[in-house]
Amino acid sequence: MANIVANVHEPLLVRLAEQLGQYKKILVGFSGGLDSTVLLHLLVRMRDEYQQAGHGPIALRAIHIHHGLNVKADLWAEHCRQICVDWQVDFLAEKVNLDTRQNGIEAAARDARYQSFRCELQQDEILMTAQHLDDQAETFLLALKRGSGPAGLSSMPFRMPFAGTTLLRPLLNAGRAELETYAQTQGLEWIEDDSNQDDRFDRNFLRLRIIPLLHQRWPHFSQAVCRSAGLCGEQEQLLDELLSDSLNSLMGQEGALLIPPLESCSEAKRNALLRRWLNQRGAKMPSREQLQRIWSEVALARQDAEPQFRLGQYDIRRYQQKLWLLPLYRRLAETVLEWNVMQELTLPDGLGTLIRTEEGGIEVRAPKSDEKVTVRFGVQGNISIVGRHHSRHSKKLWQEFNVAPWLRERTPLLYYDEKLIAALGVFVTKEGQRLSGELGCSLRWKKS
């Protein structure tokens, strides 16, 4: 490995110092390729120089994402580990599983990478990734190919909020040629991923076939694209500022978006508000067609409908004249859990636990010795509950108790044998009512 010799007059090192500012805890996305190897090398040099100058320590960690897509993936992970050993950088390798059903391998790999970054980031730690000027040009052209608006064409910002902290891309104004010159001068070793030569992938097609032609004709094409992306980003930032108050007035504490005020907006303003609402909640930006479908099929669906629209890893639902963005919940309708009410029961899909308690619970009759106690999810049909003379259909009961449609299958139902006893935290049926002289028990649902 190369010796790390600091020279603060080098442009890459100077620009990195300007980007870094006061940050002292850094997690680096480290693939072992040219770009991330240069970035990590620069950070190691800066760490060592800061320590020598008495500016305090920089805590530096590297994370390598093992996608499992190449037969050499294990060798790459070992290469990255050895570099980090040599450069005295804490190293983590994370294996991921890819879900290619939605958007293909490239998007699935990226989603898995950034999800790992989110999970691994520590308090007060920032994330650094090594995208460079030519990556920015590729991202811009891919957005153009998709018909993206200013938000998509703004491509990758130098700095952005991420997972409660900050994501920095300090090499965005450096071209690949500059990074190669630096790496060769420093004697660095890096991984060459042979899949980067496969032009079936859109980004590779642009990198191998299109951008070289554009650079032959216009040598400063990537710099011009970067300026255009920056201008689009400025426009989006201005719209964020102008629409911030309007968006906040439409959102409740739970993050749902009021529909009626949007009906009086122009289509352009409504779409801009919807995009910012979705972005603020962590969803991917929808296409124009998807926005139109969200509005017509969900927001404007008939009043007695329970519409929903799938957008990436989220569902968009309507309830009580609001739009709700929800994670994809696991279906629980067929789930049956046996329960000894004297012990705590852990519910599936992060729903929390059920416990027997002395106070603060829902009071029901105790089960008889020959009654089997189970917890289930989802109920259909007429139900007679305590405090009502007549039975009501389950849908009407849920509506009466203001239980949103997506929570109705996620509310634990207590059964003794085949008798519905209670919907925990909502109602008790007449079959579950404690009568005079009967033993009772108080049960509580502790939500996560």
Side-chain angles (χ1 to χ4, degrees):
M1 294 296 168
N3 291 326
I4 300 170
V5 180
N7 180 354
V8 296
H9 300 294
E10 294 180 27
L12 282 175
L13 206 56
V14 171
R15 293 200 297 258
L16 178 60
E18 292 171 351
Q19 289 279 331
L20 187 60
Q22 299 302 309
Y23 296 115
K24 294 296 179 69
K25 292 180 65 176
I26 306 163
L27 177 68
V28 183
F30 185 39
S31 70
L34 168 69
D35 319 332
S36 61
T37 300
V38 169
L39 176 59
L40 186 60
H41 187 265
L42 288 166
L43 285 166
V44 168
R45 293 176 65 186
M46 185 170 294
R47 176 198 66 189
D48 294 348
E49 180 163 306
Y50 271 40
Q51 289 174 344
Q52 292 171 10
H55 294 318
I58 292 178
L60 192 56
R61 299 194 303 143
I63 179 171
H64 175 82
I65 306 303
H66 187 311
H67 298 100
L69 295 175
N70 194 295
V71 294
K72 300 177 183 176
D74 290 339
L75 294 176
W76 294 344
E78 175 57 25
H79 168 87
C80 292
R81 188 195 67 80
Q82 188 58 54
I83 285 181
C84 289
V85 169
D86 292 344
W87 293 352
Q88 298 179 339
V89 174
D90 289 343
F91 176 72
L92 171 69
E94 188 77 21
K95 284 192 175 183
V96 295
N97 295 315
L98 303 186
D99 182 358
T100 61
R101 293 172 295 179
Q102 291 282 334
N103 298 307
I105 291 176
E106 289 179 284
R110 183 187 183 281
D111 289 346
R113 246 189 338 269
Y114 280 88
Q115 183 56 37
S116 292
F117 295 158
R118 286 187 186 90
C119 293
E120 183 57 31
L121 276 164
Q122 298 175 357
Q123 188 174 6
D124 299 326
E125 187 176 51
I126 66 165
L127 174 66
M128 274 197 183
T129 56
Q131 292 93 349
H132 53 73
L133 186 64
D134 300 299
D135 293 326
Q136 183 78 309
E138 294 162 11
T139 301
F140 185 94
L141 291 175
L142 287 170
L144 196 64
K145 183 265 295 183
R146 292 193 298 268
S148 300
L153 294 175
S154 62
S155 304
M156 297 179 290
F158 281 89
R159 180 189 308 263
M160 63 178 287
F162 179 80
T165 179
T166 300
L167 166 59
L168 288 182
R169 298 182 177 98
L171 302 182
L172 270 186
N173 55 7
R176 180 177 175 85
E178 184 178 3
L179 301 185
E180 285 182 342
T181 298
Y182 175 90
Q184 289 165 359
T185 300
Q186 295 290 330
L188 302 182
E189 300 174 9
W190 64 89
I191 293 165
E192 291 288 359
D193 184 348
D194 52 8
S195 69
N196 288 335
Q197 302 304 310
D198 187 349
D199 63 9
R200 291 176 301 171
F201 298 115
D202 289 344
R203 187 174 289 274
N204 289 348
F205 175 75
L206 289 172
R207 182 181 301 145
L208 298 171
R209 296 183 177 272
I210 303 303
I211 290 181
L213 289 176
L214 294 172
H215 281 163
Q216 284 180 21
R217 177 79 178 190
W218 302 293
H220 299 292
F221 176 80
S222 291
Q223 289 89 335
V225 165
C226 194
R227 285 196 299 273
S228 293
L231 291 171
C232 289
E234 287 182 12
Q235 179 179 331
E236 284 300 293
Q237 184 178 353
L238 176 60
L239 280 175
D240 285 343
E241 294 174 8
L242 294 175
L243 294 175
S244 176
D245 289 343
S246 296
L247 182 60
N248 289 337
S249 70
L250 295 176
M251 289 173 55
Q253 290 184 345
E254 68 287 331
L257 194 67
L258 283 168
I259 293 172
L262 288 172
E263 295 181 271
S264 61
C265 293
S266 68
E267 181 179 3
K269 184 175 181 179
R270 183 174 66 239
N271 286 346
L273 287 166
L274 285 170
R275 286 192 186 99
R276 278 153 183 79
W277 173 65
L278 291 168
N279 182 61
Q280 194 176 100
R281 308 295 293 172
K284 287 187 176 181
M285 283 299 92
S287 66
R288 186 179 183 86
E289 179 189 4
Q290 287 175 318
L291 271 182
Q292 291 171 341
R293 291 185 60 191
I294 289 167
W295 183 247
S296 62
E297 297 176 16
V298 182
L300 300 184
R302 68 179 192 276
Q303 291 302 308
D304 61 341
E306 295 179 0
Q308 63 187 89
F309 183 87
R310 178 69 51 83
L311 182 66
Q313 298 302 308
Y314 292 91
D315 277 332
I316 299 174
R317 307 282 295 260
R318 187 193 67 191
Y319 178 62
Q320 294 184 334
Q321 286 299 294
K322 297 176 185 176
L323 288 174
W324 301 74
L325 186 70
L326 306 164
L328 300 183
Y329 292 128
R330 170 183 158 192
R331 288 192 58 81
L332 300 174
E334 305 300 321
T335 301
V336 178
L337 306 172
E338 294 189 20
W339 185 24
N340 176 352
V341 295
M342 301 303 295
Q343 299 177 350
E344 185 174 292
L345 177 68
T346 299
L347 299 172
D349 207 29
L351 283 174
T353 58
L354 299 182
I355 61 171
R356 187 167 182 169
T357 183
E358 295 299 323
E359 56 182 23
I362 193 167
E363 186 76 17
V364 297
R365 69 174 177 85
K368 299 173 183 177
S369 60
D370 61 346
E371 286 181 316
K372 181 180 179 180
V373 180
T374 58
V375 173
R376 310 178 192 183
F377 299 87
V379 61
Q380 294 290 332
N382 291 328
I383 302 172
S384 295
I385 69 171
V386 173
R388 301 288 192 279
H389 293 297
H390 304 288
S391 65
R392 297 199 74 188
H393 193 274
S394 56
K395 182 176 180 178
K396 297 294 184 183
L397 278 178
W398 293 128
Q399 291 172 346
E400 179 183 338
F401 288 104
N402 292 316
V403 178
W406 56 92
L407 297 179
R408 295 168 191 175
E409 192 183 287
R410 297 177 63 79
T411 299
L413 306 172
L414 180 69
Y415 278 80
Y416 296 167
D417 290 336
E418 297 304 312
K419 300 171 186 174
L420 176 60
I421 301 300
L424 275 298
V426 184
F427 59 74
V428 176
T429 69
K430 290 183 177 178
E431 291 281 0
Q433 183 178 17
R434 178 189 176 188
L435 301 177
S436 178
E438 284 188 322
L439 293 175
C441 59
S442 182
L443 307 175
R444 184 156 66 93
W445 177 15
K446 291 174 60 179
K447 300 179 184 180
S448 297

